[in-house]
Amino acid sequence: MKFEISTRLTYEARSSSTLILNIQPFQSPGQFVTNEHLELSAGLTFQDWLSPIGEKRIKVISIPEPGKIEISYQASVERNIQVVDAERLTDIPIERLPAAVLPYLNPSRYCQSDKLYKFARHNFKKHSHAYDKVQAVCEWIYTNVEYAGGFTTPQTSAFDTITDQHGVCRDFAHLGVALCRALTIPARYLTCYAYELRPPDFHACFEVFLGGQWIIADATRLVALNKIVKIATGLDAAETAFASIFGNLRFTSMKVEFEPATSTGEEPEEAALEGKGVNLY
């Protein structure tokens, strides 16, 4: 399936600053950017980096002087999903995990899995199959945490969310990651573009490493798992923010558009994914 993506960001620079931008879809065997274009305000320069940590493509933008900053990004993305039967999505013994996966077992800044170990064991130990545990984690979050804005901040952690029981996609994803790591299931935070997200925005969910592959999970139930485009993965939001500001730079507006370009009719509907995992490579 092909998608067309458009993102517009504006900032007000009050002095020379640097902006690290993370809005470009990640290139992989299952997701290919066929065309992309970036426009910046006059006088701005940038460098491209492929991060050695997680999966992300970043632009480091140099802003030499005060003024209004406008950034426009468009891309065409071809994306092929792999649907995996749940029976194959089993635990892998720690000693057999790839070295690159091991960090996703550990607590991180926003995902304090060490503080949630007893809670996770008490609530999800009855599930013997790893995929069932992940599904139960998502179900618990969806049922017990109210999806609502205005209650959390960029400093809100998974422990805060399970205590206060409200949050947005970022908080749902952090809690899902933390609970899965507490169950010794490698999990990582995922940012993406999501079809039919209302209002259009960047979205956060998470991935778990089961059966030798990364499988998408989303406790918000706001979007179809087979209709997202991956932007970045990491330990938590600290590694995957769509923009990181260094200097005196104020964010003023954002517009995100994400629509299908073509549909072959071969992609499974969301209802057909029950009992299966979705892998975007």
Side-chain angles (χ1 to χ4, degrees):
M1 192 169 185
K2 295 182 180 180
F3 290 98
E4 298 294 334
I5 294 165
S6 174
T7 302
R8 295 180 182 274
L9 304 169
T10 61
Y11 294 84
E12 180 188 348
R14 296 174 179 174
S15 65
S16 61
S17 304
T18 300
L19 177 65
I20 299 180
L21 204 60
N22 185 15
I23 62 173
Q24 297 172 267
F26 187 78
Q27 300 264 27
S28 71
Q31 181 171 284
F32 184 65
V33 180
T34 58
N35 182 50
E36 62 182 340
H37 179 67
L38 178 75
E39 289 185 11
L40 303 175
S41 296
L44 303 187
T45 59
F46 67 87
Q47 300 179 69
D48 281 311
W49 294 95
L50 183 63
S51 174
I53 303 172
E55 300 175 322
K56 48 186 174 285
R57 303 162 61 207
I58 58 177
K59 277 188 162 42
V60 182
I61 301 173
S62 299
I63 302 168
E65 57 188 22
K68 182 179 180 181
I69 305 302
E70 296 183 339
I71 300 166
S72 176
Y73 175 75
Q74 292 88 36
S76 301
V77 182
E78 253 183 71
R79 201 228 39 203
N80 300 303
I81 69 166
Q82 180 183 15
V83 180
V84 185
D85 287 335
E87 290 76 14
R88 294 168 51 193
L89 301 176
T90 56
D91 273 318
I92 295 178
I94 293 175
E95 64 271 17
R96 288 172 47 201
L97 287 172
V101 174
L102 291 175
Y104 299 106
L105 287 170
N106 300 327
S108 60
R109 176 179 176 183
Y110 295 112
C111 302
Q112 309 102 314
S113 50
D114 51 337
K115 293 184 178 182
L116 298 175
Y117 176 82
K118 288 185 178 180
F119 178 90
R121 293 291 170 179
H122 176 74
N123 284 275
F124 308 113
K125 65 180 180 181
K126 65 181 179 181
H127 301 283
S128 58
H129 195 279
Y131 185 72
D132 291 341
K133 291 179 186 176
V134 175
Q135 293 297 95
V137 165
C138 290
E139 177 66 26
W140 189 95
I141 297 171
Y142 179 79
T143 302
N144 294 279
V145 181
E146 179 187 3
Y147 191 92
F151 294 99
T152 58
T153 73
Q155 284 70 49
T156 298
S157 69
F159 191 78
D160 298 325
T161 300
I162 206 169
T163 302
D164 299 333
Q165 296 193 359
H166 46 228
V168 292
C169 63
R170 176 186 188 273
D171 309 302
F172 277 51
H174 280 153
L175 184 52
V177 167
L179 289 173
C180 287
R181 290 178 188 169
L183 295 166
T184 323
I185 297 173
R188 64 187 184 183
Y189 187 89
L190 164 68
T191 57
C192 59
Y193 294 100
Y195 179 54
E196 293 187 332
L197 183 66
R198 296 292 180 264
D201 200 348
F202 298 106
H203 187 54
C205 47
F206 66 103
E207 290 182 312
V208 290
F209 193 78
L210 296 175
Q213 54 202 310
W214 287 105
I215 300 297
I216 301 168
D218 186 0
T220 69
R221 299 186 184 176
L222 291 176
V223 299
L225 296 183
N226 58 333
K227 294 179 181 177
I228 71 172
V229 166
K230 292 172 66 171
I231 300 174
T233 61
L235 288 171
D236 53 33
E239 290 188 352
T240 56
F242 78 86
S244 299
I245 294 171
F246 299 87
N248 195 347
L249 190 64
R250 185 173 68 90
F251 172 74
T252 55
S253 71
M254 176 180 70
K255 183 179 181 182
V256 175
E257 296 179 347
F258 179 62
E259 296 293 340
T262 61
S263 177
T264 62
E266 298 173 354
E267 192 147 315
E269 293 297 325
E270 185 71 1
L273 298 177
E274 185 146 352
K276 296 179 172 60
V278 175
N279 180 313
L280 283 179
Y281 299 84

